[in-house]
Amino acid sequence: MENMFRLMASEAYLSDRRCIWVNGPVIVGAGPSGLATAACLRDQGVPFVVVERSDCIASLWQKRTYDRLKLHLPKKFCQLPKMPFPDHYPEYPTKRQFIEYLESYANKFEIKPEFNKSVVSARFEETSGLWRVKTTTTAGEEMEYICRWLVVATGENAERVVPEINGLKTEFDGEVVHAFEYKSGEKYRGKRVLVVGCGNSGMEVSLDLANHNAIASMVVRSSVHVLPREIMGKSTFGISVMLMKWLPLWLVDKLLLILSWLVLGSLSKYGLKRPSIGPMELKSKTGKTPVLDIGALEKIKSGDVEIVPAIKRFSRCHVELVDGQKLHIDAVVLATGYRSNVPSWLQESEFFSKNGFPKSPFPNAWKGKSGLYAAGFTRKGLAGASADAVNIAQDIGNVWREETKRQKTRRNVGHRRCISVA
């Protein structure tokens, strides 16, 4: 294998009709995690190839998010390695601004993904010590990449989750969309819309619907932590990060809940009950992110958004709830989240679990065995993905530099021998 690397050292990759040798890692996914990893590898002087199933970078942001979306956290917690957001950007950049930032990031670090290539399988070949990554295009063209390192950067939100709800597919006549298809409440003006899900997406879709004079109801099946986005002008997330440097998690949670109660008041009378464990502990144990309120609570308190319990079944133009209520509805928005798609293509079970996340907890979830890495699966947002990218690039870069040094030493020894013989 070392001979093979010496032959390929001067080129990023060599190819034939259906097979490409990559003299460096293959990065699967051109979202923020993949871009961050590629930029850090570029800084380390390591060549790479990024493959992306869509026709653009950050396809989740460009194609599967609603128009009013902004970053929920301050920009300093969302910037990628080696390039801050522009100074003129607001504290919470818009969707369009974030996409422009990512495009500038890709241009700065000369990241040119190979688009429209879906990975159908990736497996490690023990005999050669290499990864074989097979891709296909919409036209049916197949390609195989052979590499020493594989970086999985497809993220936590690669595929939408669509729950099975009695009667939704078979009986309900109205429009049904997932939140990733939802763009604006304008088309629902005056209509009765049921939002299924009460996370950040469900809350924000409900707010957008109310702002466009739709009659919105939101299904809340279980308990949920709702926190103000800011407390006394400071980011709630920033406050929690600062407190966790000095205080135990349970005390940070207690302080956050007291501060939230002072800002928001009691929410149980509106149908929003808090979990038995605190928001940061819940996030740490389950990955469930607390809702950061940006205006939905005001609509809930005013009655513009109605909180309803779990669904029993759908009929032609109604939904029956578990408490016996029947609501007439025109449309349903499924804000039911996303999941990892890694198990559908990665032929490996030691590092990744069946749910598509690394088995090792943070901060050790970025590195597996046999040159396998994961970027953006820490459930810690863009800051976690950035930390993964830095660690991965440094780890690969160390090996790359050591092997490059050995290759130069061997060439020099061979050159001296030639001179002595001459």
Side-chain angles (χ1 to χ4, degrees):
M1 190 171 70
E2 290 186 1
N3 288 334
M4 186 185 301
F5 271 87
R6 285 200 296 272
L7 288 171
M8 306 301 174
S10 61
E11 298 291 337
Y13 58 83
L14 298 174
S15 65
D16 58 26
R17 284 185 177 181
R18 301 184 61 185
C19 184
I20 294 178
W21 163 255
V22 180
N23 193 28
V26 167
I27 302 170
V28 183
S33 300
L35 296 177
T37 305
C40 291
L41 286 167
R42 180 75 72 200
D43 190 60
Q44 294 277 340
V46 179
F48 57 82
V49 168
V50 181
V51 292
E52 164 60 42
R53 65 179 177 177
S54 187
D55 60 357
C56 61
I57 64 168
S59 62
L60 175 65
W61 281 86
Q62 299 217 48
K63 297 186 175 184
R64 294 183 282 164
T65 50
Y66 34 91
D67 295 340
R68 63 162 287 122
L69 181 64
K70 294 182 180 181
L71 292 179
H72 289 159
L73 303 181
K75 60 184 180 181
K76 70 177 181 179
F77 295 110
C78 300
Q79 65 190 24
L80 301 185
K82 307 183 185 303
M83 182 177 147
F85 282 96
D87 291 338
H88 68 274
Y89 272 30
E91 186 72 351
Y92 300 94
T94 65
K95 166 185 172 178
R96 185 65 251 166
Q97 287 171 326
F98 186 56
I99 292 170
E100 289 173 355
Y101 165 76
L102 293 177
E103 289 173 339
S104 298
Y105 191 85
N107 289 333
K108 177 178 179 178
F109 294 102
E110 298 180 338
I111 304 168
K112 299 176 181 179
E114 299 192 5
F115 293 118
N116 299 308
K117 292 187 176 180
S118 296
V119 176
V120 293
S121 71
R123 64 182 178 86
F124 183 71
E125 193 175 69
E126 296 284 351
T127 54
S128 65
L130 300 171
W131 285 92
R132 305 183 75 93
V133 183
K134 294 182 179 179
T135 67
T136 186
T137 66
T138 53
E141 179 184 350
E142 295 181 351
M143 189 71 70
E144 184 175 40
Y145 297 84
I146 300 175
C147 56
R148 183 173 176 183
W149 299 286
L150 175 65
V151 181
V152 179
T154 48
E156 304 168 6
N157 304 314
E159 302 290 346
R160 59 181 175 170
V161 173
V162 179
E164 291 290 334
I165 305 176
N166 195 8
L168 181 61
K169 291 182 179 179
T170 57
E171 297 185 39
F172 182 61
D173 286 344
E175 181 183 8
V176 180
V177 297
H178 192 275
F180 93 102
E181 301 166 289
Y182 178 92
K183 297 301 179 186
S184 168
E186 178 63 37
K187 66 180 288 189
Y188 300 103
R189 190 178 296 274
K191 294 184 178 180
R192 298 178 182 273
V193 185
L194 183 71
V195 179
V196 182
C198 61
N200 279 296
S201 293
M203 286 282 188
E204 195 157 353
V205 167
S206 297
L207 171 62
D208 190 55
L209 288 166
N211 285 341
H212 284 90
N213 295 319
I215 304 166
S217 300
M218 182 170 60
V219 175
V220 179
R221 294 189 309 160
S222 57
S223 56
V224 58
H225 278 300
V226 182
L227 307 176
R229 184 168 69 173
E230 293 185 342
I231 298 173
M232 295 179 288
K234 300 293 183 180
S235 158
T236 301
F237 180 78
I239 292 172
S240 67
V241 169
M242 180 189 67
L243 291 175
M244 284 190 290
K245 291 179 180 179
W246 308 104
L247 301 174
L249 196 58
W250 68 268
L251 185 53
V252 173
D253 275 339
K254 188 170 287 291
L255 291 173
L256 284 178
L257 292 177
I258 291 171
L259 292 170
S260 295
W261 180 81
L262 291 173
V263 175
L264 303 176
S266 174
L267 303 180
S268 58
K269 60 184 177 182
Y270 301 105
L272 298 171
K273 296 181 180 179
R274 292 197 182 278
S276 58
I277 62 176
M280 296 297 105
E281 185 180 358
L282 187 67
K283 171 72 172 173
S284 175
K285 288 183 175 180
T286 68
K288 188 174 182 180
T289 304
V291 172
L292 295 176
D293 177 55
I294 59 170
L297 278 181
E298 182 182 343
K299 298 295 184 181
I300 292 169
K301 292 176 178 179
S302 69
D304 291 328
V305 174
E306 181 185 5
I307 300 297
V308 299
I311 297 166
K312 184 176 180 180
R313 65 171 293 110
F314 284 91
S315 57
R316 190 171 66 84
C317 56
H318 291 87
V319 60
E320 183 180 351
L321 306 173
V322 292
D323 65 354
Q325 289 187 75
K326 274 193 174 183
L327 303 179
H328 181 279
I329 53 172
D330 302 303
V332 175
V333 179
L334 298 172
T336 46
Y338 300 85
R339 62 170 168 250
S340 165
N341 69 355
V342 174
S344 68
W345 57 268
L346 181 62
Q347 298 175 17
E348 189 273 348
S349 59
E350 186 176 345
F351 181 46
F352 276 89
S353 60
K354 291 182 179 180
N355 68 355
F357 283 77
K359 294 179 181 179
S360 300
F362 179 85
N364 301 312
W366 59 275
K367 182 178 180 180
K369 295 180 179 179
S370 306
L372 178 63
Y373 298 89
F377 291 88
T378 61
R379 294 189 172 103
K380 293 186 178 294
L382 292 166
S386 295
D388 288 341
V390 171
N391 288 332
I392 291 167
Q394 286 179 345
D395 198 60
I396 295 175
N398 288 338
V399 177
W400 179 268
R401 283 190 296 274
E402 186 61 33
E403 292 193 346
T404 301
K405 188 187 300 182
R406 285 203 302 266
Q407 291 162 9
K408 288 181 178 178
T409 301
R410 287 170 182 157
R411 283 198 294 268
N412 289 337
V413 170
H415 181 65
R416 286 197 297 271
R417 285 175 179 170
C418 289
I419 293 174
S420 64
V421 170

